[in-house]
Amino acid sequence: MRLLFSLYRARAAGLLLALALSCLTLVAGVALFGVSGWFLTGAALAVSAMSFDLFAPSAMVRGFSFLRIASRYGERLAGHATTFKILSDIRVRVFSRLIPLVPFKAAAHRTGDFVARLTADVEALDMMFLQLVAPVATAILGAVGLGLFLGFVLPDALVAALVGFALTALLLPILIVLAGRRSGAETVRTAAELRVAVLDGIDGHADLVTLGATREAIEAIDRATASVRTARLRQSWRIACGPAFVVLGAGATLIATLWAGLGTLEAGGVSGPLLVAALLAVTAIFEVAGSILRGAGRLGATSAAARRVQALVDTEPTIRDRADPVALPATGPVRFENIGFSYGRDRSILAGLDLDIGFGERIAIIGESGSGKSTLLALLLRLADADQGRIRIGGVDIRDVRQADLHAHVALLSQDAPVFIGTIRDNLRIADPAADDAALFQALERARLAEFVRGLPQGLGTWLGESGQTLSAGQARRLCLARTLLSPAKVVLLDEPTAGLDRPTEAAFLADLLAVTAGRTVVLATHAALPEGAVDTVYRLENGALRRNG
Amino acid sequence: MSIIDSTPAAPKAAPSREIKWLRRQGRVGRGALGLAVMVPLVSACLTVTQAYWLAMILHRAIVDQVPAASQVPAITALGGMILARAVLAWIGEAAGIRAAEDVKQAVRRQLFADLMRRGPDWMRQRASGELASQILDQVEALDGYFARFVPAMIAAGLVPVAFAVVLMPVDLVVGLLLLLTAPLIPVFMALAGWGAEAASRQHLTALARLSGLFADRIRGLVVLKLFGRAEDEIARVRGASDEFAVRTLAVLRIAFLSSAVLEFFAALGVAGVALYVGLTYLDMIDLRGSALGLQAGLFCLLMAPEVYLPLRTLAAHYHDRANAKAAVANIEAAFGALPEAAPSPATSAPVGARLAGRRALAVAAVDLTVETPERGTILSSATFEIGAGETVALLGPSGIGKSTLIEVLARLRGHSGRVEIDGIALDAIEEGALRRKVAVLGQRPRLFHGTIASNIRLGRPHASDREVREAAERACVLDFADRLPEGLDTPVGERGSGLSGGEAQRVALARIFLRDPGLILLDEPTAHLDAETEARVVQAILAFAWGRSLLVATHSMAVAEQMGRICVIDGAGQIVPFEAAAALELDGAA
């Protein structure tokens, strides 16, 4: 919630405007109903039309009507306009906080689920103000207004009306949130079991088919959905209390006000018309309770989302720059010295690894998948730090230079390199914002994608991703390869650059790898068969260490 | 029932396919849904009574000056009506939730059963997380449509008209005023609905686009960071957000007019009734024959906002409809079609040929060509045979197509050319018979949520504990299971957490040892094992395979040498005897 409130502070003006309009809408509604009752009763009691001041009440009725219409419209517009600004603020804030944090070491953060969840969490925060904060603030201010009015007109009913309103509009939603938190545990548990059962069925589909056990899997889902339903129905008894208590609270408050008012009327403390006005005003103010209740129903999910986003924003980056970084030599060999690295306790990936790569040398690292090739490349970019040993470029430990300098010096084509939503030109220029079209085509040429791009009606301006051109896996791979080759970095790391390419294209690419990377240091991690002379040296990575191949 | 969807004034005259499908699903929860729909209607009758009663109490107190003490019975009755409405509200809400739960449960079952009927080829091309999200999250988004929107829609169609009719005997003019506006109510509803839907659709689209961009940039954040471009992307995310905001606000400015229209009529109702009744009292208007009492006037005033309340409730729940519609569209996109409740999906008779009871099954593949979307041509006009009772090893560098061949033989992957098992075309074999007689161990078998023992028992559901333990011992599962405090009863969680890849594979091997196949297809059964364990596992496999046919894809020469014959997939997509490929340098096979 801290995050949200700091965002709200930044947009205080817009939020206050929305809030003021929301209060005005409520007040106009309450006043319209109250004045109508007052006027109507007064007219009924009037001895003659002459003695009755017709002008003031009819003007007020008309005035409040139009005020209500205009403020309702303004409230919705102002609220949404500010919400959109906050929506943009949240995304920018989360995005900029993530930059120093990625890549996450924990596996849970590496999956696509993480991005999906973060996106959903951020979305859940968007509407918090309109759905909950604004109605609650409106209710509190509305209660103050009602209190002032009753204080003048019907003081005897003041306590009953305010207590009834506060219990219904403010305390009841809190109770519902608390009750939901307790009884929600069973729902969450059964939903998690259903999720597991569904993923079991989908991920294990091939196993289930070969075991002839799809029927059993369907039965397991039947059981899991049935227990989700049972848990939800049990919870529904509590949820259903919300609207019931709003009806009850509004009704009880009306009766309490009525009872106090009738007594006052009898004692001559209030006129008939003002009694009716007070009663109708009390009835009308409960309109805000409904929206609070709806907002409270969503609070559980929203606060869970807020907690997760807050935790992420509060995470400290594990890899930092030194306070006094040294300069990185423009050229120089890359040396891995006695490197050890493991994921978790006992998943040792690299152990005692040594590697010397002369400046401008082109090497390949081969090995089974999972042998640590990608990890080795990641260490050179400080996407993770080695547990043991050191890596030097031109004699300087890479932990002593600025990460930005290191990243400018070393370019990586990772296995999961993405194509971004945007044009082909946008995608390529990520590597070199200043590159002109000729340079872009040169890079595409090297990645063997230029012909395809020239064939597109909009060429480099073709929009990729959502509602744009879709690329095949092989084309996407080549686009990412072109992007990496475009980078002016002196050291180029290619992790399975030919995955997704058909065999002839792969062979052709590998055959002229030397030509397209002239003057740069290249580390190629692959399990493709390398043609003779594609690189200077081939190493095999096995049991955490390297040995020369062949 | 379809006042919103079928009114001629609505821009979309016919309900969309998504909504029609939703309505069909609603039949499942008919009982509860009927109750949820009835409750607001019954509650509306009480609303009328309550307003009448309150007006009566006020009339007696103000005009007749009846003392408060003698009004106690009337006030108690008022309390009773309020209590009854509260109980009804509870019932209506609970019934709505029940209806939604019934529908969601049924839809989830249908979707999952539909998935299980799909072929492995179809499944392979989809992300499991996305499919799971359809069954879990998208179906959840149908909740509000059944729990809240449908009851609100029907109440909005009936209640305002009913209220207008009830008011006519009290005062013809007020009643007529509302009745005359009654034919307009569907128009207002269409307006409100159109506005709310347009607003919500625009909002959802803008959000989806923005979230899509945001997710896209986060997914690629490492790449952006490495190219030193991450900071620039902040500006792009900001720019895109602002652009969406401007565009969406332009639409909302019009869409929100609908809430202003609703507010206009509600205010007009209250103000109109107040002015008309007030002026009648003052004899400035005389449209009635008889005098109007305070009770009747107050009753009309109290009812005026109630006429428009159902419309407001509907507008508040309109986003539930938009969300449900979007969810249905998502499900349709992910599944290719919307599932319909099949009359009796479980009782379909088995189709296809049965396999003979013979123990060992022969395999023959001729002119076998396999192309995958991911890796192009894997096998090209290959020929391959396994004699009945033969044991065959399959070698070749990783990525060459060993797993693909096993998937083809297990009928888990499409192919062209002819494949026969025991002389019967693979496609013609009845599913149950094929699965009983052909056992498969994949490279990354799935461990299901449960215990090690329950996973092994999947091989034969009625196997005794002793048989499970024996199978576990033969597959060297006990090597690690006995070191765990709970042994074979150790829980294995989502994605087989707790066990390594090699351990999971031995559990899956133990499953096969509980079965009685005529053909065994194993994909790297000894990957990740040390030499000593590998030797024991291979001995157990060979013992089990005695009198059956066996194909083992492996990288281990030690394993391959134990088999009767060794084959190799070569670079040209052919399956050749190992001897013929001896000249070939077997990179990765050592």
Side-chain angles (χ1 to χ4, degrees), chain A residues 20-211:
Chain A
L21 286 168
S22 163
C23 287
L24 200 59
T25 310
L26 183 68
V27 166
V30 170
L32 171 63
F33 208 38
V35 168
S36 295
W38 171 61
F39 165 66
L40 191 148
T41 313
L45 295 179
V47 185
S48 76
M50 289 301 128
S51 64
F52 192 83
D53 172 21
L54 184 63
F55 178 74
S58 68
M60 277 162 85
V61 165
R62 269 175 287 145
F64 284 129
S65 299
F66 285 106
L67 186 61
R68 169 120 170 137
I69 297 161
S71 62
R72 169 74 78 199
Y73 182 71
E75 170 216 341
R76 303 211 62 186
L77 211 56
H80 279 80
T82 311
T83 298
F84 280 131
K85 292 201 183 96
I86 291 175
L87 178 150
S88 157
D89 292 345
I90 297 178
R91 281 167 180 72
V92 167
R93 184 82 66 95
V94 170
F95 191 83
S96 30
R97 283 297 300 166
L98 279 177
I99 296 172
L101 293 178
V102 292
F104 293 101
K105 200 170 180 181
H109 285 123
R110 278 200 299 270
T111 55
D113 291 353
F114 165 71
V115 174
R117 208 192 61 195
L118 179 63
T119 315
D121 281 352
V122 166
E123 256 177 54
L125 298 182
D126 288 344
M127 299 307 283
M128 178 87 169
F129 179 80
L130 286 185
Q131 285 173 348
L132 193 62
V133 179
V136 168
T138 306
I140 292 172
L141 293 172
V144 171
L146 184 72
L148 284 174
F149 171 65
L150 287 180
F152 282 112
V153 173
L154 194 60
D156 293 348
L158 177 67
V159 175
L162 284 190
V163 168
F165 180 66
L167 284 180
T168 313
L170 300 172
L171 188 66
L172 175 66
I174 294 174
L175 289 180
I176 285 175
V177 168
L178 291 180
R181 210 171 272 171
R182 262 190 302 124
S183 68
E186 177 75 0
T187 319
V188 170
R189 192 182 58 76
T190 51
E193 278 171 10
L194 176 63
R195 188 172 288 273
V196 169
V198 168
L199 277 171
D200 263 352
I202 297 174
D203 280 341
H205 183 246
D207 297 72
L208 290 169
V209 167
T210 56
L211 288 166

Side-chain angles (χ1 to χ4, degrees), chain A residues 233-409:
Chain A
L233 289 187
R234 209 167 290 150
Q235 200 190 10
S236 77
W237 301 338
R238 279 201 193 85
I239 294 174
C241 287
F245 279 130
V246 168
V247 172
L248 206 59
T253 311
L254 173 72
I255 289 182
T257 314
L258 176 67
W259 181 247
L262 289 183
T264 317
L265 180 75
E266 223 178 312
V270 68
S271 69
L274 280 178
L275 171 63
V276 172
L279 274 179
L280 294 193
V282 168
T283 313
I285 201 165
F286 274 89
E287 106 181 353
V288 77
S291 42
I292 294 181
L293 204 68
R294 279 195 292 277
R298 298 193 186 97
L299 187 66
T302 312
S303 64
R307 268 197 304 278
R308 282 194 292 263
V309 173
Q310 184 78 56
L312 194 66
V313 167
D314 289 346
T315 310
E316 286 300 320
T318 48
I319 295 176
R320 298 156 168 279
D321 283 343
R322 263 178 50 169
D324 52 339
V326 298
L328 189 68
T331 58
V334 177
R335 287 181 66 112
F336 289 75
E337 296 170 10
N338 191 29
I339 296 295
F341 185 81
S342 60
Y343 286 111
R345 266 182 306 113
D346 33 42
R347 281 199 55 213
S348 172
I349 300 290
L350 304 175
L353 178 142
D354 291 298
L355 175 62
D356 268 309
I357 313 165
F359 185 76
E361 190 185 1
R362 269 67 64 88
I363 69 157
I365 297 175
I366 58 174
E368 288 304 316
S369 43
S371 58
K373 300 189 295 289
S374 304
T375 306
L376 183 66
L377 302 185
L379 291 180
L380 183 52
L381 278 156
R382 289 196 75 199
L383 292 178
D385 275 342
D387 302 330
Q388 185 199 324
R390 65 178 67 207
I391 302 171
R392 295 175 197 273
I393 296 179
V396 176
D397 189 321
I398 58 169
R399 282 172 296 194
D400 293 337
V401 304
R402 283 182 42 208
Q403 288 179 69
D405 293 344
L406 179 65
H407 295 159
H409 188 80

Side-chain angles (χ1 to χ4, degrees), chain A residues 211 213 216, chain B residues 447-448 451-472 488-489 507-515:
Chain A
L211 288 166
E216 283 81 351
Chain B
L447 289 191
F448 297 92
T451 62
I452 297 177
S454 76
N455 266 284
I456 294 176
R457 197 172 270 117
L458 270 177
R460 181 163 19 116
H462 300 296
S464 70
D465 286 352
R466 208 178 51 81
E467 288 168 316
V468 168
R469 192 167 172 83
E470 198 188 41
L488 287 178
D489 293 325
V507 172
L509 185 63
R511 267 179 206 163
I512 293 178
F513 286 167
L514 281 179
R515 295 171 80 84

